[in-house]
Amino acid sequence: MTPVGAQVFAARNLELLAAIENTLDALNSDTSLLRAIHAGYEEIRDRLTDSSITIDDGGRIQSMLEKAGAVCSRIYHDACKRHEAACQDPQLRPDDGVAEAYCEFMEAVRNLHDYIEELREWIATHDAVLEPSISPAFSSVDDLFDDLLPLH
């Protein structure tokens, strides 16, 4: 290899190492952010657990949580594609840590998504339990059927 060729090869390697380092830094930062958001949702639920009032009377929170879950799904699927690309990239080696960092990121996204769904369901159940019943109480099964199947 000529001296110029060696310099080009070294520069290319430095660029690859810098790209790997930048990718790892970004993934680690994003993973930490997702875990902090997850912890924030857990804190919200902890504070709401003993609530005896309706949390989401108008359904706005449900809508926002559905959107957040959908965003997590899109991020997860994008990360899966990027993880696969990292695994197939011939320039990357397993000890570079890129594939592993993507796995940790995807786990954090999946955990956040699952918790958002759990919180959404918990709020819906919490509010449903607090809603007053509008149906009459029946003293027997016959009374219930008479109410359900009125004779015309």
Side-chain angles (χ1 to χ4, degrees):
M1 181 178 287
T2 66
V4 173
Q7 286 178 336
V8 170
F9 182 73
R12 181 174 165 265
N13 282 340
L14 289 176
E15 288 175 11
L16 177 61
L17 291 175
I20 290 170
E21 186 177 340
N22 290 339
T23 300
L24 292 174
D25 287 347
L27 284 169
N28 290 333
S29 176
D30 289 349
T31 300
S32 294
L33 178 62
L34 289 169
R35 289 178 178 150
I37 292 169
H38 187 175
Y41 277 118
E42 288 177 334
E43 183 179 341
I44 289 168
R45 179 165 174 190
D46 288 345
R47 290 181 181 212
L48 293 174
T49 298
D50 295 328
S51 176
S52 60
I53 61 170
T54 303
I55 296 168
D56 189 24
D57 196 26
R60 185 169 178 235
I61 294 171
Q62 289 293 325
S63 176
M64 290 171 42
L65 290 174
E66 284 176 21
K67 288 177 184 175
V71 168
C72 285
S73 291
R74 286 193 302 274
I75 291 170
Y76 180 81
H77 291 296
D78 179 66
C80 286
K81 291 175 187 174
R82 292 174 188 266
H83 174 256
E84 185 64 30
C87 290
Q88 293 178 0
D89 190 326
Q91 296 182 66
L92 295 176
R93 299 183 312 219
D95 63 339
D96 288 334
V98 175
E100 183 180 332
Y102 269 111
C103 287
E104 289 180 28
F105 175 76
M106 292 183 316
E107 180 182 6
V109 173
R110 186 176 49 249
N111 288 341
L112 177 59
H113 172 271
D114 292 350
Y115 197 80
I116 288 170
E117 289 302 310
E118 183 181 318
L119 178 61
R120 190 176 64 77
E121 290 174 13
W122 181 85
I123 290 171
T125 301
H126 173 272
D127 287 357
V129 167
L130 293 176
E131 262 187 42
S133 175
I134 56 171
S135 61
F138 299 101
S139 58
S140 70
V141 173
D142 292 332
D143 290 344
L144 171 65
F145 282 121
D146 288 343
D147 191 60
L148 292 174
L149 307 167
L151 296 175
H152 294 301

